Amino acid sequence: MKRHIAILIGVILLTSLLSGCAGQPAESREPINFVFMEGVTALTAAYMISEEPDLGREINYNILNAPDLLAASVLKEEADIAMIPTNLAVQAYNKDLPYVIAGTSTWGNLYVVGSEDVDTVADLEGRNLHTFGKGLTPELVLLMILQESGLDPVENLDINYMNSAAEVGPFLLSGQASLGVLPEPALTGVLLKDENMKVLLDLNDLWAQARGVDKGYPQSCIVIRKSLVEEDPEFVEKFLMEYNNSIEWANENPEALGDLSEDLLLGTPKAAVVHGIERMNIGNFPIEDSMEEYQDYYQAIMDFAPDFIGGALPDEDIYYTR
């Protein structure tokens, strides 16, 4: 009898131990480190930050103000979830860092803007164009579109590279430049200050036309640590659902989004949000809906500037699968 009681007590203790591990309370687990840049990508998460949905785990929203800090958070494996440039996602993958791409935060939102008459890429021939991001996505996309249109970036036009989009805007507004490449929200800031400035070319649309894809090129994406996907798939699914809801809300509520941007210090003034939301190209989040665009984008980079993605195309293991 005593032996049976001892066995029963042992079973109860073991069961309690196992159930305690499996059903560990949310407050006793490590918080999720969600890292992203201020600006347009931060706007995609604004509703989530504001509402703080119950996902079963605490989330730390880390809003950074410098691209190198964002890259470091991934390359040092400090982030559990991050919104990053899509080329950085492949660089991390090619370094065997444990992240998978779960969806698109923003599609291309680069535009040629100015006070001159430009209707097609061919109209840029012989012009002076101010841009930014040498060695980064803005330069890569611009040069590939020029070449797809039969223009030699060196022979057929004069391209002036500035340190950042923040420098291109004032050059346009001061009259020192008449054509420039700008992203949102910097573009809307220029349009609101000078009624003579207008959007001339949408580089994302031109990319889609040249490459034969629907959505253009994926500019930023969400990556998730593989171990988190494996250890807590229920949380990951809840997170992705709420993030997708946040994106949809952002597109449908520009006025309220502008208020949140200022209240939460997300880096974009309300006026720029309200007037520029459509050009920010937020939406079409799930990765399974955009595989063709990703594979085409990475192939184009591999053909044009392979070092930009770490010298090798990723295989399908880079993508999150349910």
Side-chain angles (χ1 to χ4, degrees):
M1 181 68 175
K2 290 181 180 179
R3 183 171 179 271
H4 290 157
I5 292 173
I7 292 172
L8 180 60
I9 292 173
V11 170
I12 292 172
L13 289 173
L14 180 60
T15 303
S16 298
L17 180 62
L18 292 175
S19 62
C21 294
Q24 194 176 11
E27 59 270 17
S28 69
R29 291 185 285 176
E30 288 292 321
I32 299 298
N33 195 23
F34 183 20
V35 182
F36 48 91
M37 277 281 293
E38 64 181 12
V40 174
T41 50
L43 294 177
T44 67
Y47 188 68
M48 275 187 82
I49 300 171
S50 174
E51 293 298 302
E52 296 184 341
D54 182 7
L55 304 181
R57 297 185 70 164
E58 180 185 352
I59 299 177
N60 291 332
Y61 297 93
N62 297 316
I63 307 170
L64 306 177
N65 61 7
D68 57 336
L69 296 177
L70 180 65
S73 71
V74 172
L75 297 177
K76 293 180 180 179
E77 301 180 38
E78 297 169 347
D80 296 304
I81 303 173
M83 284 189 277
I84 62 175
T86 47
N87 71 293
L88 177 58
V90 182
Q91 289 178 15
Y93 183 79
N94 283 332
K95 293 178 183 292
D96 293 324
L97 298 179
Y99 293 97
V100 290
I101 299 173
T104 311
S105 299
T106 60
W107 295 88
N109 57 31
L110 291 167
Y111 301 85
V112 174
V113 59
S115 55
E116 296 187 15
D117 292 326
V118 172
D119 297 317
T120 67
V121 178
D123 293 335
L124 293 175
E125 185 170 5
R127 306 291 184 98
N128 187 302
L129 181 67
H130 283 69
T131 187
F132 68 102
K134 189 168 182 61
L136 302 173
T137 298
E139 180 190 30
L140 187 73
V141 170
L142 175 63
L143 295 187
M144 285 198 283
I145 287 174
L146 289 174
Q147 293 189 2
E148 288 278 357
S149 301
L151 293 181
D152 186 303
V154 176
E155 299 294 330
N156 297 132
L157 66 162
D158 184 11
I159 300 178
N160 296 280
Y161 290 95
M162 310 195 77
N163 291 327
S164 68
E167 293 185 7
V168 177
F171 249 68
L172 289 165
L173 292 171
S174 67
Q176 296 178 75
S178 57
L179 290 173
V181 175
L182 283 175
E184 284 292 356
L187 169 60
T188 294
V190 167
L191 297 178
L192 291 175
K193 291 176 181 175
D194 187 344
E195 61 182 14
N196 293 317
M197 290 291 162
K198 52 194 174 183
V199 178
L200 303 171
L201 299 173
D202 180 335
L203 298 190
N204 191 66
D205 281 351
L206 291 170
W207 178 280
Q209 294 168 20
R211 305 293 303 182
V213 293
D214 291 334
K215 303 181 186 73
Y217 63 94
Q219 187 161 299
S220 65
C221 63
I222 272 195
V223 295
I224 303 177
R225 184 189 294 277
K226 285 183 181 180
S227 60
L228 180 59
V229 173
E230 294 165 356
E231 294 165 9
D232 201 345
E234 182 179 353
F235 165 79
V236 170
E237 278 298 303
K238 287 180 179 178
F239 175 90
L240 293 176
M241 181 180 70
E242 289 296 337
Y243 178 70
N244 192 51
N245 290 341
S246 188
I247 284 180
E248 292 178 356
W249 183 90
N251 279 320
E252 294 167 1
N253 300 276
E255 287 277 347
L257 178 63
D259 290 332
L260 281 185
S261 180
E262 295 188 343
D263 292 345
L264 299 173
L265 304 178
L266 300 183
T268 304
K270 179 176 180 178
V273 174
V274 172
H275 294 280
I277 186 68
E278 292 184 1
R279 288 187 297 268
M280 290 178 184
N281 230 347
I282 298 169
N284 295 308
F285 171 69
I287 189 64
E288 58 266 26
D289 296 341
S290 308
M291 296 294 289
E292 181 182 1
E293 280 79 3
Y294 275 81
Q295 290 167 352
D296 174 79
Y297 181 55
Y298 291 144
Q299 184 63 61
I301 294 173
M302 191 65 186
D303 294 340
F304 191 82
D307 289 345
F308 196 61
I309 55 172
L313 286 173
D315 56 31
E316 292 186 358
D317 288 341
I318 195 175
Y319 303 110
Y320 168 76
T321 55
R322 289 173 170 80

